[in-house]
Amino acid sequence: MATEGAPLPAGLGRIPIRRAAVTTAVAAAVAVVFVHAWIDVGASVSEFIAGYHGMANIIGRSWPPSSDVLHTSISDSVVTFDTALLGTAGAIILSILLVPFAARNITPHRAAYELSRALIAVTRGVPDLIWALIFVTAVGLGPFPGVLALTVHSVGILGKLWSEAIEEMDMGPVDALRVAGANRFQVFIHAVLPGVAPTMIGLALYRFDVNFRSGLVLGFVGAGGIGFLIYNSMQLFQYQQLLTELGVVVVFVLVLERVSTVLRARIH
């Protein structure tokens, strides 16, 4: 044991100084990155404050909301709901077929794992808005390209999250069925899916919630639904109609979020 006043071992006194230097260097680097980002996007506090008057003007011109487009807003919101529903359902089916190859602990071969992971990365990496533009060009305007766009993009999201959930699951039931002589399909149906079903269902519900809002944005590029109606109102400066359309969207979002929360609580 070192006695009081004894010199510290060589180099020990430099450790706090070295850590402080590293912390300072990291903090300075982070500050430089944020300053560069601020300058790069042309951010301005004064412009933000000045924009308040523009927003107040738009809000003033939006009130009262127009009742003329209420029925159309509701029907088009239902179209967006259906687009999200079909897009999510398609993604669920394709993801279930994909995840047995994309999970490292149950994949039959390394090549299958790498190929499926690459497919997941591509579908997830390209934004759903870009997929919508591609499918609008391919199949024409309307909700159907929105369904295809949400399906493809959601495969990347659900495929990644579901395969990671499988990789983290308890492998006891899987190993037991393998020892008993079950084939890969039987193992996946009777051991893997029951083990991660609550997680998979919860993630699918969350994805459906997200897809409804994404489907709204896809309407801006011709994928139909309430988004197309909102885009037209903005282009024509019909702010009273816009307020009605946004109000309907908010109601739909709140209801979907509440239902999704209740269902996720029940399955867990």
Side-chain angles (χ1 to χ4, degrees), residues 92-114 116-117 120 158-160 162-164 166-167 169 178 184-189 192-193 196 200:
I92 288 173
I93 294 171
L94 295 177
S95 297
I96 288 178
L97 298 175
L98 186 62
V99 291
F101 304 97
R104 191 187 301 271
N105 52 343
I106 64 170
T107 187
H109 195 275
R110 178 61 183 267
Y113 171 80
E114 295 295 343
S116 58
R117 281 289 182 166
I120 286 174
L158 291 180
K160 181 179 186 301
W162 284 2
S163 59
E164 290 178 352
I166 292 173
E167 289 176 348
M169 69 175 291
R178 284 174 176 172
R184 292 186 179 277
F185 179 76
Q186 291 171 326
V187 169
F188 184 72
I189 294 297
V192 176
L193 282 184
V196 295
M200 293 176 68

Side-chain angles (χ1 to χ4, degrees), residues 166-179:
I166 292 173
E167 289 176 348
E168 296 174 359
M169 69 175 291
D170 178 17
M171 291 297 290
V174 174
D175 295 335
L177 281 182
R178 284 174 176 172
V179 170

Side-chain angles (χ1 to χ4, degrees), residues 54-87:
M55 286 298 300
N57 179 49
I58 292 175
I59 293 173
R61 294 167 62 183
S62 300
W63 191 263
S66 172
S67 60
D68 297 338
V69 294
L70 180 59
H71 181 269
T72 306
S73 300
I74 295 174
S75 62
D76 281 12
S77 293
V78 173
V79 171
T80 301
F81 173 88
D82 293 337
T83 301
L85 180 66
L86 292 177

Side-chain angles (χ1 to χ4, degrees), residues 38 45 120 133 180 240:
W38 182 272
V45 175
I120 286 174
L133 287 170
Q240 291 179 317

Side-chain angles (χ1 to χ4, degrees), residues 23-33:
T23 302
T24 302
V26 171
V30 170
V32 168
V33 169

